[in-house]
Amino acid sequence: MLVIDCPYCGPRPELEFSYGGQAHIARPANPATVETSDWAAFLYLRSNTRGLHAERWRHVRGCARFFNALRDTTTDKFIATYRTGEPAPAIDSRGDR
Amino acid sequence: MQKFSAWSLLKQSFGGHQGWQPQWRRASPKPAYDAIIIGGGGHGLGTAYYLAAEHGIANVAVLEKGWIGGGNTGRNTTIIRSNYLFDESARLYDHALKLWEHLSQVLNYNVMYSPRGVMMLAHTVHDVQVIKRHVHANRGNGVDNEWLSPEDAKAFCPPLNIESNIRYPVMGAALQRRGGTARHDAVAWGYARAADALGVDIIENCEVTGFKRDANGAIEGVETSRGPIASRRVGVVAAGHTSVVLGYAGIKLPLESFPLQALVSEPIKPVVPCVVMSNSVHAYISQSDKGELVIGAGTDAYTSYTQRGALHVNSHTLEAICELFPAFRRMRMLRNWGGIVDVTPDRSPIIAKTTIPGLYVNCGWGTGGFKATPGSANVFAWTIARDEPHPINAPFTIERFRDGFLIDEAAAAAVAH
Amino acid sequence: MNSWRTDGGGRIDRTRALSFSFDGRRFTGFEGDTLASALLANGVHLLGRSFKYHRPRGILGAGSEEPNALVRVVRDHSRATPNLRATQVELYDGLVAESQNRWPSLGFDLSAVNDILSPLFPAGFYYKTFMWPRRAWHAFYEPRIRAAAGLGRAPEGPDPDRYAQRFAHCDVLIVGAGAAGLAAALAAAASGARVILCDEQPEFGGSLLAEPSARIEGMPAADWVAAQRSALAARPNVTLLARTTAFGYFPHNLIGLSERLTDHAAAPSAGSLRERLWQVRAREVVLATGAIERPLVFPGNDRPGVMLASAGRTYLNRYGVRVGSRIVVVAGSDAAYAAALDLKAAGAEIVALADVRSAAGEAATAAAREASLPVSLRATVLGTSGRLRVSSVRLGTVTSGGAVEESSSVACDAVLMSGGYTPTVHLFSQSRGTLSWNAERNVFVPGKPAERTHAAGACRGIDALAAALADGAAVGSVAAAAAGFQGSTPAFEASAVEFGSAGAPGALAQPGPTPPAKAFVDFQNDVTTKDLALAAREGFRSIEHIKRYTTTGMATDQGKTSGMNALGVVADGFERSIPEVGLTTFRMPFTPVTFGVFAGYARCDLFDPVRTTPTHDWARGHGAVFEDVGLWKRARYFPKTGEDMHAAVARECRAVRTGCGLFDASTLGKIEVVGPDAVTFMNRLYVNNWSTLAVGKSRYGILLRDDGFVYDDGVVARLAEDRFHVTTTTGGAARVLGMMEDYLQTEWPDLKVWLTSTTEQWAVIAVQGPRAREVISPLVSDIDLSPGAMPHMSVGWGKICGAPLLLFRVSFTGELGFELNVPADYGRAVWEAVYSAGRSRDITPYGTEAMHVLRAEKGYIIVGQETDGTATPDDVGLSWAIGKAKPDFVGKRSLERPAMKAPGRKQLVGLLTEDPTVVLDEGAQLVESARQKVPMRMIGHVTSSYASAALGRSIALAMLAGGRARIGETLYVPMPGGDIAVKVTAPVFYDPEGVRLNG
């Protein structure tokens, strides 16, 4: 069980959170004009990164807010968490800020 | 290939078993092959075997970054069944099941296919509807599956709790009698040995680090930790690492890699005669020939490449087992482990050509790849050999996600694989 | 008592004799004994049979590493626990233990024939045979192999005992309360840090409990341990956990501990708290897990009576038991000398001390000379004899040229061996810390940690007492400081008679390449040096392959005594170094952990939360049969005496169609969508056009996922310009709210909308049927219920029985209907008031089953029954609900994908069987022609199927490929008993014009 640092509430156990998949995938503003393949990419394509992964979490049993996190998927260590709408923090190759 | 049999075992016993030869050669990479398979799990080794055995393409290398069978092949709970809902899936998995039935004899390696029956429990009215739909569809597809009352389910699996005082009492079950288990390591080793005998090079500790493309963009080889290797045909069968490998070719697939845990108990005398799966209570169990209870459930919540999972996920699985088998509460966990499973949006695999000529992919088996091993390998070999899919894997394209022709077993069934 | 028990000494209480039985024989031991020490005190060395060859086995060790002495301990029928290590089973009065894996008896086991036939059963033999004839594996061979395999028997009845779970946080968790762990705890505790110290044994002290010569701070080590334990226990910042195994190291410094609470007690009542899971989140972890002695690998090293030197010492010094009277000591490490000296001092005869090395350490050599121990160097063991207990040892000598010559045969009744110590790095490795090779000591020790982990003492190769204490204290201080607590590092003065513990893993030298008898590497799984050599010969190179092929390290001790020796043998065979061969992965748990500990409180009603509606108890009182829907218990039907489900449902349905029915719809999810942008939000989310929904009106809404498939549905009311009351399916409430929050927070954070779950706030009482208005009119105030004022799909605020009322004129039955939303606390009272008011009109409570029939008669879908995650709105005939003019809504773009517009999609239709009495099986398939052969061409499936009381016949809904164009056709439902002909119809069977609805 991971410890996740909710940007609104502070560190809490993973049991309070739900995972929300890859972060920074914006829904197209005007889906009607999006090509079928691009729409499929929006729906289904994920980076599935081995290494530093920007992802969404929701503090569903806490403040209920979504936020983003950078996690190393090879160690499950969190490098940073940040609020929805903020850009991912710039990180050196292996997670040193 | 040195023949395995009771007779050869007896003969060797007189010589102190000094006469056994290596089951496969320790091959070093040659400069070029007719085909390269990336990934030395059951699916990859099987692909190489069928390329050599059925398509006359024996100049093949299997490249494995670690040791063969060390990924999900050696980490799964060995359940075999083919009672899938949709026609496409039923055809694919039943193709595999039919190959399982003869695999020990074909490979001359006892893979211990044990058709002890796979029972899927229903705990709610909704479960009953969903599972009966499977039973009917399976029957129409020639896949054996039958509906059992709770009493019949208990008769088939005596330690099962069908009392009404549990949180989700058993309302019935579907039983596929041809379903069962097999010995996972033997599948990898058996395919390796048989493929090796046909001339396939099995190259361990050889990690692919890139692809070489010709002027037209077609594949002409791979870069590896042991140097470049040329081939015009490359099949990627890298399970949880598929995204990483295909990333070297610039291909993105709709895959996410999740941890999947499993565990065994200490060995006990036979008590669970079949495989029992419960999707609403969330666990499955069988007993290995060695006597260990083999237990698993769904994936952990978040993507990860760590090959381990969370304690609470593991606990939840054992909650379910203790609820369904209250006498096992005193049993003890001997070992827990994790694998990395690659999951597609519709929980069905991709077995297809890619947009790059000469590059083929077989992935997305999620939590259910072991049971498909022979069938998957068989049709993937066909796809590579003929540069076109076998009719059975033709629906399992990459393009289905673009166009919406999903084969959504999970959504349709609310059934974990 | 008997000759094996010493006259004094040890940590047992000789005033408290305990009676126990083993395989039906009665014995006596003392308080403080383990089952193993008590049996040894009674001269019993034969405790079990090995897994494969059924060889007689005794006791190898004295702790949790024991591979051989596994027993079944029986309290009663349902409290029998298999595979317990006798070395860990604390003796209590009346203990009943049985040996395992033998028939007919432990002394005479017929399966021991396997040992004679063992040339036929080398490693992996089963991969090479049992393949003919094809079906014989499952039909013949496997059942026999399965019956022969396994160790103990599973418990037989449901386990009555309870298990608890606890979460804990601390600054420093210390695993292991030996010298290093205690020192670390003292240092960390003094700094003020919150400390948890755990140890798997009942008593703290680790190896100090078996070191009578050791002195710390001027007192005997065991006394010092007791004093420090008391001092720690008195500190409020310290938690001490004995009988507690740290079994798993999880990410982010979460450690799993299993605490055994009652297994040592003589008579815990059934249902007592047996074990507890601790999930400890520690800022810093100190691993002081010690080291485990390695056996030596020589032919016949598995006979009862052959044991680890440390075990021989422990049984003597801690339990007052001499394990033999004529003892051969085989030394691969100086540690063996200590055992020889102690046992000699206790009166045993050391008949030989065979040192396999060319020289021993200086201290050991000097002590041996002083005690006149019969030391021979460059020795080896060529074999042992004795059927059920070792009776002699054949010793050999390794010449300077490397040849092995037989030197002597020595009669004995015990053999003590030491191959050196292996640091216990399991938890460190589980945490993903990297191990490093200490070439000097031939061991892996903790290297770079992956978590906030510190190692101290013998688990990192520091095992001399003074050094271990100093290391523990230093590491404890460092860990506390890392957690933010500065303190001084205590120093401890200590002395002990100690020799080195280093050795060399691998097998002892033998005359030929293949020893005549089996030299065991993994005792329990019967893996010998020959098996490892065979695996290598057959081309297995990776240690993981060799492990899997031979099963070495896969027994219940998970390689604790065998792992390094297997590596040594393999490395020798490959002429590679041990670190080149590498380790197999360490996995949790460290030692086996009871399933019940993981399951904890979760059983029966605590397995999942039970959600009940305000009328639950009323329904139960009225005989309702419940069904599980999500976490909810919903009344499925209300049988009257003598009624089955069919009869009850038919009666309930008739009541609704002809009079008045009462239904609890409280489980429906309810979400308030509030704010100036509420209508925009709803328009973007649901397929419908909400801009045209007037305040005080409601509408049936459909929610898709962005992939275009139906996700949820429900009636949505507009309570105010800026306020929507959204209802969802029972099972979908939480995920719909989650989806709403997702879009609101991450896609449209600019919208001013607030979402609130109100599911539990409202009780929802559906009153349905032609007489519904008459029934509720007298109770409702402030709302005009007349059809003109309150038409179908209108909503109003008022009061009922004095309670606030949000009234929906809505129907899921096709009849005139109302849904009374009242605050949940009023739910029961209002329900009863309505029921009373309706009695004169024969008001009938109905359950979900009747509700399903009634809605199916009307062709209303249930999301999750007609839809399955692959259905679009058009598939289920709901295109009419889509706001056509809207530029976008969730899922709209996906509806334009090729597959969504392809011909032949499954569409919702009705089915009527030719025989009206036949009720189709839900899930049954549809085919075009009768008597199809497999594989059939299945073109649809039955989603809902009922006997309809209103129609006097069966009805069904189905999803059928191109279904709407097939209305009127006859199709077939293939069943095992034959085909059933059905006619395809429109999906509305009853009152298609909706006259009754608007009544």
Side-chain angles (χ1 to χ4, degrees), chain C residues 442-462:
Chain C
N442 289 311
V443 290
F444 287 102
V445 291
K448 188 168 180 279
E451 299 274 354
R452 301 187 69 92
T453 317
H454 313 260
C459 78
R460 67 185 192 112
I462 298 173

Side-chain angles (χ1 to χ4, degrees), chain C residues 566-592:
Chain C
L567 271 180
V569 171
V570 169
D572 282 349
F574 289 156
E575 296 182 347
R576 291 153 80 191
S577 69
I578 286 177
E580 280 175 322
V581 174
L583 277 169
T584 60
T585 313
F586 289 97
R587 293 283 187 178
M588 81 111 169
F590 172 64
T591 52

Side-chain angles (χ1 to χ4, degrees), chain C residues 749-940:
Chain C
D750 51 313
L751 293 186
K752 288 192 167 35
V753 174
W754 289 267
L755 304 169
T756 310
S757 168
T758 56
T759 303
E760 307 258 356
Q761 272 59 51
W762 295 109
V764 183
I765 300 162
V767 186
Q768 303 275 313
R771 309 186 78 172
R773 187 183 288 112
E774 317 169 22
V775 169
I776 65 166
S777 292
L779 306 175
V780 173
S781 53
D782 302 351
I783 304 178
D784 180 353
L785 297 180
S786 65
M790 188 88 191
H792 184 52
M793 298 308 276
S794 54
V795 180
W797 289 98
K799 288 211 140 101
I800 183 164
C801 312
L805 170 67
L806 174 60
L807 182 69
F808 283 66
R809 165 97 192 261
V810 67
S811 169
F812 198 44
T813 60
E815 299 297 328
L816 165 66
F818 297 91
E819 288 187 0
L820 314 172
N821 285 248
V822 296
D825 289 348
Y826 293 91
R828 170 86 185 254
V830 171
W831 173 277
E832 291 194 42
V834 174
Y835 184 65
S836 300
R839 288 305 285 271
S840 59
R841 293 168 183 84
D842 208 19
I843 192 167
T844 301
Y846 66 99
T848 50
E849 196 63 28
M851 177 267 281
H852 279 135
V853 177
L854 295 165
R855 63 89 203 173
E857 289 169 348
K858 287 291 293 179
Y860 298 147
I861 68 159
I862 299 243
V863 169
Q865 187 164 346
E866 272 62 43
T867 72
D868 61 6
T870 67
T872 65
D874 185 60
D875 295 345
V876 284
L878 295 175
S879 291
W880 57 266
I882 295 175
K884 304 288 184 298
K886 292 203 296 182
D888 188 28
F889 55 81
V890 169
K892 181 177 167 72
R893 173 65 185 82
S894 285
L895 296 178
E896 303 302 314
R897 292 193 289 170
M900 310 302 201
K901 316 208 106 177
R905 289 191 65 84
K906 282 189 177 181
Q907 294 171 329
L908 181 72
V909 294
L911 298 178
L912 291 174
T913 51
E914 283 189 353
D915 177 348
T917 63
V918 171
V919 180
L920 295 170
D921 217 7
E922 285 170 352
Q925 300 292 308
L926 291 164
V927 295
E928 271 178 336
S929 54
R931 287 184 289 283
Q932 287 211 3
K933 299 233 180 329
V934 294
M936 302 177 191
R937 203 176 145 262
M938 292 173 282
I939 55 174

Side-chain angles (χ1 to χ4, degrees), chain B residues 17 23 68 105 110 114 116 133 136 140 167-168 185 267 269 289 306-307 329-331 333 336 403 411, chain C residues 83 101 119 127 131 142 149 152 159 432 537-538 545 548 587 593 595-596 608-609 631 868 899 921 936:
Chain B
H17 296 282
Q23 298 195 358
I68 64 166
Q105 288 70 35
N110 189 358
S114 169
R116 55 182 68 177
R133 184 181 169 197
H136 288 293
R167 180 70 179 85
Y168 300 109
D185 290 330
K269 293 293 177 190
D289 288 343
T306 57
Q307 293 195 329
R329 209 171 279 266
R330 284 181 109 79
M331 291 295 301
M333 181 202 291
N336 162 280
D403 299 335
Chain C
N83 299 339
N101 200 32
Y127 300 123
M131 289 180 276
E142 187 182 45
D159 183 358
R432 301 294 166 97
R537 191 175 310 128
E538 293 197 75
H545 279 156
R548 285 157 178 265
R587 293 283 187 178
V593 178
F595 284 3
D608 247 359
L631 297 175
D868 61 6
D921 217 7
M936 302 177 191

Side-chain angles (χ1 to χ4, degrees), chain B residues 345-366:
Chain B
D346 65 359
R347 303 297 189 275
S348 285
I350 296 168
I351 316 170
K353 300 166 66 168
T354 68
T355 49
I356 296 176
L359 185 62
Y360 309 85
V361 65
N362 183 347
C363 65
W365 291 96

